């Protein structure tokens, strides 16, 4: 429940909103391309604790396999200790550097940059730092392998407040 709320929270934080076309949002897709999309999570800042979620930011670089079209998206996925995951999709930035909002609720174990439901470009583990007062604070616990069991779940992806169906990237509720 908290992970679903996290995606909605990201929208309230001012995550990029989208006007979907008849085609809707699509994963970039690199089939037949000579290169693949690459990306790095360079930094995570926890931000502030609001309504049971740390409203933070991740930054890094993202190099698509081809120039994205207007409907192409990537996402930031949040994985919890119970094996669930949610992701907030957004359009590719105009430059290779990006900064994206991320909501990290308690029990989060990892955050990943994804370019498809099961294609993780880079992941970081999330550790928890006890504080003298207040809730434990999430911290970057270092990079995780993209095939780590901690990030094996297929995320529920939302964009502009709508769920992107896992089996059909162009279908939305």
């Amino acid at each position: 429940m908290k992970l679903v709320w996290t995606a909605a929270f990201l929208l309230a934080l001012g995550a990029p909103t989208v006007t979907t076309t008849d085609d809707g949002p699509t994963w970039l897709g690199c089939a037949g391309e000579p290169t693949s999309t690459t990306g790095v999570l360079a930094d995570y800042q926890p931000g502030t604790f609001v309504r049971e979620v740390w409203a933070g930011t991740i930054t890094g670089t993202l190099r698509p396999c081809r120039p994205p079209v207007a409907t192409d998206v990537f996402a930031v996925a949040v994985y919890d200790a119970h094996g669930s995951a949610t992701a907030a999709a957004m359009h590719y930035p105009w430059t290779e550097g990006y900064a994206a909002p991320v909501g990290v609720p308690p029990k989060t174990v990892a955050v990943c940059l994804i370019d498809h439901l099961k294609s993780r470009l880079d992941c970081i583990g999330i550790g928890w730092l006890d504080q003298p007062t207040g809730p434990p604070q999430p911290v970057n616990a270092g990079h995780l392998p993209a095939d780590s069991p901690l990030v094996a779940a297929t995320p529920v992806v939302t964009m502009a407040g709508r769920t992107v169906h896992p089996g059909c990237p162009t279908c939305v509720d």
Side-chain angles (χ1 to χ4, degrees):
M1 181 67 171
K2 283 186 182 177
L3 286 177
V4 171
W5 186 88
T6 300
F9 180 75
L10 288 174
L11 294 170
L13 284 176
T17 58
V18 226
T19 303
T20 57
T21 65
D22 290 339
D23 296 329
T26 56
W27 296 113
L28 182 68
C30 297
E33 299 293 326
T35 60
S36 61
T37 296
T38 59
V40 174
L41 288 175
D43 192 27
Y44 164 71
Q45 294 297 315
T48 58
F49 191 68
V50 180
R51 296 187 184 154
E52 304 289 321
V53 173
W54 285 93
T57 304
I58 62 165
T59 56
T61 58
L62 188 59
R63 293 181 193 97
C65 64
R66 62 171 171 76
V69 297
T71 57
D72 288 333
V73 298
F74 72 100
V76 175
V78 176
Y79 299 83
D80 75 12
H82 303 294
S84 298
T86 61
M90 59 205 82
H91 288 288
Y92 281 83
W94 292 101
T95 63
E96 73 177 41
Y98 70 90
V102 61
V104 175
K107 308 240 186 253
T108 295
V109 295
V111 173
C112 293
L113 177 64
I114 64 173
D115 69 338
H116 200 279
L117 287 170
K118 294 188 178 185
S119 177
R120 293 169 295 281
L121 302 175
D122 195 18
C123 300
I124 57 169
I126 298 294
W128 292 90
L129 179 63
D130 286 330
Q131 301 185 92
T133 61
Q137 183 178 40
V139 293
N140 181 341
H143 286 271
L144 288 174
D147 61 354
S148 167
L150 292 175
V151 297
T154 300
V156 173
V157 182
T158 60
M159 184 171 196
R162 297 162 48 170
T163 301
V164 178
H165 292 283
C168 180
T170 60
C171 303
V172 293
D173 285 337

